[in-house]
Amino acid sequence: MNEKSRSALFGPIMMLIASILFATGGILCKLISWSPLAINGVRNLLGGLLIGAYLLATHHRLRFNFKILFGAICMCGVTTLFVVANKLTTAANAIILQYTAPIWIIILSALILKRKPRAHEIITILIVLVGIVLFFIDGIDAGNTWGNIAAVIAGIFYAGLFLLNSLPGADGLSALFIGQIGTGIIFTPLVFK
């Protein structure tokens, strides 16, 4: 296999590994008997340590400003609400509703960055919103409803993370690291309660 073939396979292989890890994480969240906040704290602490090791290995300088703080808060929100949603509704609902993020990116870009959405984006938003309504109609009992709400809000925070990358002076890696370490420090002590 030549170098070009190997490099063409690298991206799909990494996506497959990420998908397996993501699915495994969702299953483990369901199986662990801790509170969702305690689970989220430990997940973020471990993730923050891994990103910190990457920052050190690549000599990426940690930065901090208001935009990075915004990204860190979004990171805390998306991970916390995802684990809460995962505990309250089905893992599939939590994942699918979190991935409404592209819709929220379009909406937030219009509100914050004053980017006018194109016609096909508006049609996409309407179709996805109908899908969200169907999720809520399907999950009538209170647990599913609250889990679905948490997952949708997680999608909004996820959109904030993506929006961060289009802001000048932002640094996604710093935001992820600060958000994960901060979330880990705040919520990990709940393991002992």
Side-chain angles (χ1 to χ4, degrees):
M1 182 179 284
N2 63 25
E3 183 67 32
K4 188 174 182 179
S5 297
R6 271 186 291 214
S7 66
L9 284 175
F10 183 75
I13 289 170
M14 291 298 110
M15 287 297 293
L16 176 64
I17 292 169
S19 298
I20 291 168
L21 291 173
F22 195 68
T24 306
I27 291 168
L28 291 175
C29 285
K30 285 281 194 197
L31 295 176
I32 295 172
S33 62
W34 298 343
S35 76
L37 297 179
I39 292 169
N40 187 53
V42 173
R43 286 179 78 219
N44 275 280
L45 197 58
L46 295 173
L49 293 174
L50 186 64
I51 290 175
Y54 177 79
L55 291 173
L56 288 172
T58 59
H59 305 290
H60 185 94
R61 190 173 66 89
L62 188 64
R63 297 173 42 210
F64 188 80
N65 59 34
F66 178 75
K67 292 169 186 165
I68 292 168
L69 176 62
F70 168 76
I73 291 167
C74 287
M75 184 66 190
C76 177
V78 73
T79 60
T80 303
L81 290 168
F82 172 74
V83 176
V84 168
N86 202 1
K87 284 287 198 179
L88 294 176
T89 188
T90 65
N93 278 15
I95 292 167
I96 289 171
L97 288 172
Q98 179 181 332
Y99 281 101
T100 59
I103 302 311
W104 306 116
I105 291 170
I106 295 167
I107 293 168
L108 291 174
S109 291
L111 295 173
I112 296 170
L113 302 176
K114 307 299 184 212
R115 289 186 188 154
K116 185 176 179 185
R118 293 181 230 143
H120 72 276
E121 291 173 331
I122 292 170
I123 292 168
T124 303
I125 290 171
L126 294 174
I127 291 169
V128 171
L129 289 176
V130 167
I132 291 171
V133 168
L134 292 177
F135 263 97
F136 283 95
I137 291 171
D138 185 46
I140 295 293
D141 74 57
N144 277 349
T145 301
W146 286 114
N148 290 346
I149 290 169
V152 169
I153 297 170
I156 295 169
F157 277 111
Y158 204 21
L161 277 174
F162 281 98
L163 195 62
L164 168 75
N165 291 325
S166 63
L167 300 175
D171 179 22
L173 278 175
S174 293
L176 290 177
F177 176 72
I178 293 166
Q180 287 199 303
I181 291 295
T183 304
I185 290 169
I186 292 167
F187 293 128
T188 299
L190 296 176
V191 169
F192 304 107
K193 292 196 175 190

